[in-house]
Amino acid sequence: MKTVIIGGVAGGATAAARLRRLDESAEIVMIERGEHISFANCGLPYYIGGTIKKKSALTLETPESFNLRYNVDVRNLSEAVSIDPTGKTVTIHELKSGRIYQEGYDNLIISTGAQPIKPPIPGVDSDKVFTLRNIPDTYRIKEFIQTAAPKSCVVAGGGYIGVEMAENLANAGHEVTIVELADHLIAPLDSEMAAEVHLYLRKKGITVILNNGVRAIADNGSSLDVTLDNGKVLCDMIILSVGVRPDTELAKKAGIPCNERGAILVNERMETQIPDIYAVGDAVEVTDFVTGNKTMIPLAGPANKQGRIAADNICGYPSVYTGTQGSAILKIFEMTVASTGINERTACAAGIDYDKIYIYSPSHATYYPGATMMSVKVLFERKTGRILGAQIVGFEGVDKRCDLLAAVIRLKGTAYDLTKLELCYAPPFGSAKDPVNIAGFVIENILTGKVKNFHWQDIQALPEDGSVTLLDVRTPEEVALGAIDRFVNIPLDSLRQRISELDRSKPVYVHCHSGQRSYIACRILAGHGFKAYNLSGGYRLYRLMAKEERIPLPFCQACKNSISR
């Protein structure tokens, strides 16, 4: 059996290694047009910023070491230029010698990945404008920084790579501006969670420009004049990080079916619609694990799994890919941002009847020194309590909480499962009631009718005709630092004594700083015959969004607030 693999890195290299482990006698040929077959592409920004010092640290395997360990015929600096599915051959161009030849196969794996989008705008081809996909791109950026000594940089695009580049350029001493076309950075986050990131980045000295895109670049020799949709920015270099598209021209020319965005169509066995041709990694369309809809999610973890699954099936071991849930994490200076599952935009588009909760929890027991706070948002299915997605922004302990929630989502678990998790506890590491447990308790209270929530988007729509009571249960000292209009203040610890001041015939909408004290207030009110609603996320979240100047009404039927339920 002979398998030809086009492309290395996560998907292709994993497939090659798995094939060899399963079949010592297989003939395996890996074709890679670049010099490097397996490199740490997620580590590239950190080499540019100086955190990773040595070039060699980026190279996970060389062609020689890979061949020695796995007996794979590695042909780097060789480009596959065409595929003949009928004759089962690949035409290959040796980039150094210019030789063109054909290689036959029994099975073919396409792992060509994705390429950075380079928008067709004036000036985009300036030698001061860069994209980051591979090691040569990294070296070009690093060399430019070392030789031209740029003082200022614009990062066009605020996704994971864009924000990582902004951090590393700032750490290297550059003035950095992020320009993002959308209304918030890091697309998998919802806007209120991204607002935490915006605030932090600005505190770190990075300029964040939202709802704006780069429209033209003028190289005046010493610097770049960058024209935006609204305004201009002057800088010394630009990193384009506006997204990626599947690198699938080779597949398209061979007649391999792709979707409208160019991603190769595959089944759960990673087979294309052409016999004996498989495809893996960023080049393929995947199934969203939560919604069941087709999508594209370019991440290294799924690419590795898909390479392994393709190899299993080639070797006769039935294996299926069950979908991508988009688990991802990002370091921004000392901050950690993580997400898994779907966000509100995806839930709305899929027509899912969902709700959401926000909690603000410490990373470990607060009496042990060094605890930091985490903002946690969890989406759940309203009818079943099934966990649909989670987003966490904080400093310590974000990764393990998001990993826990990712595992529960993969197991199709519910909020009730979160309440039952028995997690490791000692004061330096967590609390007896972990934030993941707390999230489960909060959702369980909603599902069982113990409390009804309303959200920051709902506040503008609260009636002004006196038909409802708006109650702030924070302390007077807190209220003096800022309050929401129309909310009257009765501190929680005075509520029982002053409850006669409230009208039982009116619904009461309650808030505190984070939602915890107002939940207690709601239970007190319910015990005295009131119908009460708790502001999830509290004043803290509302104030954050007010600073972002984003207090819209609910934006779709699925998100309609508690007032209408």
Side-chain angles (χ1 to χ4, degrees):
M1 180 185 70
K2 179 179 181 181
T3 300
V4 172
I5 302 170
I6 302 174
V9 198
T14 296
R18 179 67 169 174
L19 283 167
R20 175 56 67 221
R21 291 195 296 268
L22 296 178
D23 187 348
E24 184 62 23
S25 65
E27 184 178 356
I28 308 168
V29 179
M30 183 189 296
I31 309 300
E32 170 57 53
R33 67 184 169 194
E35 180 180 354
H36 307 279
I37 61 160
S38 182
F39 60 90
N41 47 2
C42 296
L44 301 182
Y46 300 100
Y47 175 74
I48 293 169
T51 300
I52 296 174
K53 305 294 184 183
K54 296 180 180 179
K55 289 182 178 181
S56 58
L58 298 174
T59 306
L60 304 178
E61 293 278 3
T62 65
E64 294 76 21
S65 66
F66 201 78
N67 174 264
L68 184 64
R69 176 158 296 181
Y70 295 108
N71 189 24
V72 172
D73 183 357
V74 178
R75 305 177 192 176
N76 61 333
L77 298 173
S78 296
E79 182 175 12
V81 294
S82 66
I83 300 168
D84 177 7
T86 303
K88 300 187 78 168
T89 61
V90 179
T91 300
I92 299 167
H93 176 207
E94 283 186 353
L95 299 180
K96 280 189 174 181
S97 67
R99 181 171 78 98
I100 296 176
Y101 65 96
Q102 290 186 329
E103 190 73 34
Y105 65 84
D106 297 308
N107 293 285
L108 178 68
I109 300 176
I110 299 173
S111 179
T112 46
Q115 56 186 342
I117 295 172
K118 201 169 185 180
I121 59 176
V124 75
D125 293 323
S126 166
D127 60 6
K128 299 182 181 71
V129 178
F130 303 89
T131 59
L132 181 62
R133 181 194 187 195
N134 52 34
I135 288 181
D137 292 341
T138 307
Y139 292 166
R140 281 192 291 271
I141 295 170
K142 187 79 168 182
E143 182 180 2
F144 180 82
I145 290 173
Q146 291 173 337
T147 57
K151 294 182 179 179
S152 58
C153 176
V154 165
V155 177
Y160 288 108
I161 297 297
V163 174
E164 285 177 344
M165 280 302 307
E167 175 204 358
N168 280 280
L169 289 166
N171 280 338
H174 305 285
E175 298 175 6
V176 181
T177 298
I178 302 176
V179 178
E180 171 55 51
L181 187 60
D183 69 346
H184 68 274
L185 303 180
I186 312 174
L189 298 183
D190 289 315
S191 60
E192 68 274 27
M193 300 302 287
E196 306 250 13
V197 178
H198 305 163
L199 181 64
Y200 181 71
L201 284 170
R202 287 166 177 148
K203 285 181 178 179
K204 286 292 188 178
I206 292 177
T207 301
V208 178
I209 300 175
L210 303 171
N211 296 298
N212 224 331
V214 175
R215 288 292 167 253
I217 302 165
D219 189 340
N220 60 28
S222 59
S223 61
L224 298 172
D225 289 310
V226 184
T227 300
L228 308 179
D229 289 325
N230 181 19
K232 287 191 174 184
V233 177
L234 187 69
C235 66
D236 299 321
M237 66 181 293
I238 295 177
I239 306 292
L240 292 176
S241 184
V242 296
V244 297
R245 63 167 60 94
D247 190 356
T248 54
E249 287 305 312
L250 181 67
K252 291 177 186 176
K253 288 193 298 182
I256 298 171
C258 299
N259 67 15
E260 66 279 0
R261 295 175 61 187
I264 300 170
L265 302 179
V266 295
N267 62 18
E268 62 184 6
R269 291 163 51 88
M270 306 314 299
E271 296 169 319
T272 71
Q273 295 181 19
I274 304 296
D276 303 318
I277 298 181
Y278 297 75
V280 302
D282 296 352
V284 307
E285 178 186 79
V286 297
T287 298
D288 185 304
F289 179 79
V290 176
T291 67
N293 295 332
K294 296 299 182 181
T295 186
M296 290 182 293
I297 305 177
L299 293 170
N304 276 280
K305 293 177 180 67
Q306 293 160 14
R308 179 185 178 93
I309 288 165
D312 285 351
N313 286 302
I314 287 172
C315 292
Y317 295 92
S319 184
V320 298
Y321 186 67
T322 56
T324 302
Q325 68 190 70
S327 300
I329 192 165
L330 174 66
K331 171 188 172 295
I332 311 172
F333 299 102
E334 295 83 19
M335 176 177 272
T336 305
V337 179
S339 65
T340 185
I342 61 173
N343 56 26
E344 287 202 60
R345 297 185 305 281
T346 303
C348 290
I352 297 172
D353 183 21
Y354 75 95
D355 204 347
K356 59 194 174 185
I357 60 105
Y358 304 91
I359 61 172
Y360 192 55
S361 294
S363 56
H364 59 70
T366 52
Y367 60 81
Y368 186 88
T372 58
M373 300 301 290
M374 295 182 291
S375 295
V376 182
K377 177 178 182 177
V378 181
L379 274 63
F380 61 96
E381 190 172 48
R382 200 186 305 275
K383 183 178 180 180
T384 65
R386 179 189 171 193
I387 305 301
L388 304 173
Q391 302 162 37
I392 308 180
V393 179
F395 296 89
E396 299 288 336
V398 169
D399 52 345
K400 71 175 182 178
R401 273 60 181 228
C402 199
D403 282 342
L404 273 169
L405 289 160
V408 170
I409 290 172
R410 178 59 61 167
L411 296 172
K412 299 187 177 181
T414 69
Y416 304 108
D417 295 312
L418 298 185
T419 68
K420 297 171 185 174
L421 290 175
E422 185 176 335
L423 306 174
C424 298
Y425 161 61
F429 303 102
S431 299
K433 291 187 290 187
D434 191 85
V436 173
N437 298 133
I438 295 293
F441 296 146
V442 172
I443 298 171
E444 181 186 49
N445 284 335
I446 295 170
L447 296 173
T448 56
K450 296 181 181 69
V451 70
K452 295 182 183 294
N453 273 0
F454 69 112
H455 299 291
W456 62 269
Q457 299 104 319
D458 302 336
I459 291 176
Q460 279 191 335
L462 291 171
E464 299 185 34
D465 59 2
S467 61
V468 300
T469 299
L470 308 182
L471 180 63
D472 180 344
V473 296
R474 296 176 299 155
T475 65
E477 292 78 14
E478 290 175 283
V479 173
L481 296 175
I484 305 175
D485 290 344
R486 301 191 289 134
F487 278 74
V488 298
N489 178 229
I490 299 178
L492 173 63
D493 293 340
S494 304
L495 182 58
R496 289 185 179 89
Q497 291 74 34
R498 297 177 58 184
I499 205 161
S500 60
E501 299 176 23
L502 304 177
D503 186 343
R504 282 184 176 81
S505 68
K506 297 179 181 180
V508 185
Y509 290 82
V510 192
H511 84 79
C512 66
H513 180 69
S514 66
Q516 183 180 13
R517 284 174 290 170
S518 49
Y519 160 67
I520 297 171
C522 284
R523 294 304 302 154
I524 292 172
L525 290 165
H528 287 79
F530 289 82
K531 186 177 183 180
Y533 298 83
N534 182 32
L535 178 61
S536 186
Y539 175 75
R540 177 185 175 276
L541 181 59
Y542 180 86
R543 180 186 61 187
L544 180 67
M545 294 310 294
K547 287 184 177 180
E548 288 275 302
E549 297 181 342
R550 254 196 238 100
I551 304 292
L553 296 178
F555 51 87
C556 78
Q557 187 69 23
C559 303
K560 287 185 72 175
N561 59 56
S562 301
I563 301 167
S564 62
R565 292 201 291 270

